[in-house]
Amino acid sequence: MFTKLTEAEFNELKSVFFYQKYLKKEFIIKEDAAVRYIYFISSGLVKLSYFDNDANEFILSFAFENWWETDFSAFYHQTKATLRLQCLEDTAVYGLSFDDYFLILNKYRLSDYFLDKSIRGHIASQKRILSLLTLNPKQRYEQFLQVYPLLGQRVPKSILALYLGVSRETLSRLYKAKR
């Protein structure tokens, strides 16, 4: 998609992004903060999560190199975040503001690119919901490793257990059985 841009267009497009580095455990987005940017992950790994009133964490997704992430509802509606975006590794991102997002959609004919990314993300979310509803812990773990084979090595086991909806002990048993 970006290969259709001229060099001048590409350089102009780059100018609307800002580059930011974050340290491991640092938050890019905290709940109740305004969400003004969508982030392209240049390097590193982040988790998008929700905390309920009892401080239980629910991990919605992970994002790593060449993925886009934000609290999409808050970004799109320009409201405060209900989700947290936290770095699991030192992470570098390119941020794009709400106004510039819509500018580049129109000016650089990138609607198809972002529509494709949105649909793929929606499909992944539907598959994840179905796996949580229909698969047992072993099947969810195996599916995760099949879909994201390298991510299993990057995500701490305690965080992966939260994502899979299992206890740390159950994940340890599954991990040992897989070896």
Side-chain angles (χ1 to χ4, degrees):
M1 183 61 58
F2 287 108
T3 57
K4 295 179 183 176
L5 298 174
T6 67
E7 186 174 341
E9 286 175 323
F10 182 74
N11 288 331
E12 187 179 349
L13 178 63
K14 280 187 351 184
S15 72
V16 300
F17 287 85
F18 71 89
Y19 181 76
Q20 181 78 40
K21 286 185 175 184
Y22 295 91
L23 298 175
K24 181 179 179 176
K25 297 186 179 183
E26 203 171 349
F27 288 93
I28 298 173
I29 298 173
K30 291 183 180 179
E31 67 269 51
D32 293 324
V35 179
R36 293 187 173 90
Y37 303 100
I38 184 172
Y39 299 95
F40 179 79
I41 311 299
S42 175
S43 65
L45 174 64
V46 297
K47 68 174 177 173
L48 187 67
S49 58
Y50 173 79
F51 283 80
D52 68 12
N53 291 336
D54 296 325
N56 296 309
E57 182 179 17
F58 300 91
I59 299 174
L60 280 70
S61 63
F62 299 108
F64 46 91
E65 293 81 10
N66 300 316
W67 285 37
W68 293 88
E69 194 61 275
T70 194
D71 179 331
F72 283 99
S73 179
F75 176 74
Y76 186 77
H77 296 293
Q78 289 295 274
T79 58
K80 293 187 178 189
T82 57
L83 306 175
R84 293 180 185 182
L85 186 60
Q86 184 179 24
C87 300
L88 297 177
E89 300 173 351
D90 290 351
T91 300
V93 300
Y94 287 94
L96 181 63
S97 75
F98 182 78
D99 290 337
D100 286 336
Y101 171 76
F102 286 99
L103 170 80
I104 70 168
L105 285 181
N106 297 316
K107 187 171 183 179
Y108 299 104
R109 304 165 310 279
L110 294 175
S111 292
D112 289 344
Y113 168 79
F114 281 104
L115 178 61
D116 180 65
K117 292 292 182 187
S118 295
I119 290 171
R120 289 176 187 272
H122 186 69
I123 291 168
S125 292
Q126 287 179 340
K127 286 181 179 180
R128 175 158 155 64
I129 291 167
L130 285 173
S131 75
L132 289 169
L133 294 172
T134 63
L135 301 180
N136 65 42
K138 180 181 182 213
Q139 292 169 321
R140 288 196 304 268
Y141 178 62
E142 289 173 350
Q143 182 183 57
F144 177 82
L145 293 178
Q146 181 182 10
V147 175
Y148 307 109
L150 300 177
L151 197 52
Q153 304 302 316
R154 293 174 69 178
V155 176
K157 299 297 182 254
S158 58
I159 292 173
L160 182 54
L162 277 174
Y163 177 79
L164 295 172
V166 300
S167 69
R168 177 69 172 93
E169 295 77 18
T170 298
L171 182 61
S172 291
R173 284 192 299 275
L174 294 172
Y175 182 75
K176 287 178 187 173
K178 192 77 174 159
R179 291 179 134 196

